[in-house]
Amino acid sequence: MRAILVVNPQATSTTAGGRDVLAHALASQVKLEVVETDYRGHALAVARDAARDGVDLVVAHGGDGTVNEVVNGLLTDGPGGSLPALGVVPGGSANVFARALGIARDPVEATHQLLSAIEAGRSRRVGLGLADGHWFTFNAGLGWDADVVATVADRRGKQTNALLYMRAAVACYFRPRSGRLPLTVQVPGEEPAQVRMAFVSNTDPWSYLGERPVHLNTECSFDRGLGLFALRKLTLPLVFRHVRQALRAEARHRGRALVRHDDLAKLSVSAEEPVNFQVDGDLIGRRTRVDFTSVPDVLTVLA
């Protein structure tokens, strides 16, 4: 088996020692090439070339941004054919995609899981989301969540943690970067809904607050369509109530201000003026409209 290990040395919990242990362990079972990324988009380029060269496995060692780049690289020429399988060894602060797959947060333990999957030939197929030409593994959105990502973006790397995201979320709530522009959500078969925030998820939990999972669309999974969670207004009592519900093990979001759907094949979110747009926690840019599509059974993951 030919494999490439893509390492982001700037990710929160990656170390040179951990990289060497992982590489040594993988090299015992596969013909391995190790690439350390040194610019944004590097992981995407490596994974794209791996797919075109017929490599069997690409392992991402880094955070969710590294995983997202690898996924977008693997799918540069579209789904189908004999794409490389994806392996993930967490090295970031949140590691949402890996944790949703049941991959251990500890890199050493995750390496053992990956080696076991390789030896046993164990894998699973997962569905992904597609938004404005960008593949996402767990979440994408416009507005408040993207403003938070933009606020954190300049401090990404070893300093990124849950507390930083919490502070950014509070700051963006009281001082929205683009003003609190209304968003219009369009779900096929439904009347357009005007909302103040909208999250589009490809799995649940949507994120993590340290060790605690955050649940918005509990029926959402890699085997189903996209989940939509949107609020028509953003009063403090309403936001606090849904945050409290989201941190419960069995979240049950209800309310007249809530627009919520599970297992959607497609939807769109638009605004009258450009607003920030994020994919898997990485800022993409500003958009006035994004169409979201669920693409089932598109990628093989060793987990």
Side-chain angles (χ1 to χ4, degrees):
M1 176 182 287
R2 295 172 59 207
I4 294 179
L5 171 61
V6 182
V7 181
N8 178 3
Q10 298 303 314
T12 307
S13 58
T14 57
T15 64
R19 173 206 61 203
D20 292 343
V21 169
L22 172 57
H24 181 74
L26 284 173
S28 68
Q29 293 198 24
V30 300
K31 183 179 180 181
L32 185 68
E33 176 186 352
V34 181
V35 178
E36 282 198 356
T37 61
D38 51 25
Y39 59 88
R40 182 170 179 149
H42 193 178
L44 186 152
V46 172
R48 178 196 62 212
D49 292 345
R52 291 173 178 174
D53 292 344
V55 170
D56 302 296
L57 171 67
V58 178
V59 179
H61 181 35
D64 287 307
T66 304
V67 173
N68 180 271
E69 280 199 23
V70 168
V71 167
N72 276 274
L74 293 176
L75 292 165
T76 296
D77 298 326
S82 54
L83 291 176
L86 171 68
V88 180
V89 176
S93 57
N95 306 302
V96 178
F97 180 63
R99 292 165 76 174
L101 286 166
I103 297 172
R105 293 186 69 187
D106 178 70
V108 175
E109 189 175 343
T111 300
H112 286 307
Q113 286 181 276
L114 178 59
L115 292 173
S116 174
I118 293 173
E119 186 175 1
R122 186 176 66 249
S123 65
R124 64 172 291 184
R125 298 286 290 179
V126 300
L128 300 173
L130 188 60
D132 195 36
H134 298 270
W135 295 93
F136 63 96
T137 64
F138 63 90
N139 172 267
L142 297 88
W144 186 16
D145 62 322
D147 286 348
V148 173
V149 168
T151 300
V152 173
D154 291 339
R155 297 186 59 187
R156 276 205 177 278
K158 300 294 183 181
Q159 301 158 322
T160 304
N161 53 45
L163 181 59
L164 181 60
Y165 277 99
M166 288 178 61
R167 288 175 174 170
V170 173
C172 290
Y173 176 84
F174 289 105
R175 297 187 299 277
R177 293 172 69 102
S178 304
R180 193 156 289 153
L181 296 173
L183 304 172
T184 300
V185 173
Q186 178 67 69
V187 173
E190 303 275 346
E191 289 294 320
Q194 190 172 90
V195 300
R196 294 294 173 170
M197 57 151 278
F199 297 106
V200 180
S201 300
N202 187 51
T203 190
D204 181 81
W206 161 78
S207 188
Y208 289 85
L209 188 59
E211 294 293 332
R212 300 189 67 174
V214 180
H215 302 280
L216 296 183
N217 290 81
T218 52
E219 300 301 315
C220 194
S221 76
F222 296 123
D223 302 314
R224 305 186 67 195
L226 301 175
L228 168 67
F229 182 98
L231 293 175
R232 300 180 189 274
K233 54 186 180 180
L234 284 179
T235 62
L236 269 177
L238 181 67
V239 170
F240 179 76
R241 177 159 60 88
H242 283 289
V243 167
R244 187 174 58 184
Q245 290 174 350
L247 293 174
R248 292 176 177 171
E250 296 183 2
R252 292 291 182 268
H253 295 276
R254 297 182 179 86
R256 286 180 293 182
L258 175 64
V259 179
R260 183 179 177 276
H261 295 274
D262 292 298
D263 201 19
L264 293 173
K266 59 178 63 178
L267 71 145
S268 67
V269 180
S270 58
E272 292 186 358
E273 298 179 24
V275 294
N276 282 325
F277 166 50
Q278 66 87 17
V279 165
D280 280 350
D282 272 343
L283 186 67
I284 301 299
R286 298 172 70 82
R287 302 288 190 275
T288 56
R289 177 187 172 101
V290 175
D291 295 317
F292 298 85
T293 304
S294 172
V295 185
D297 197 35
V298 69
L299 192 65
T300 299
V301 181
L302 301 188

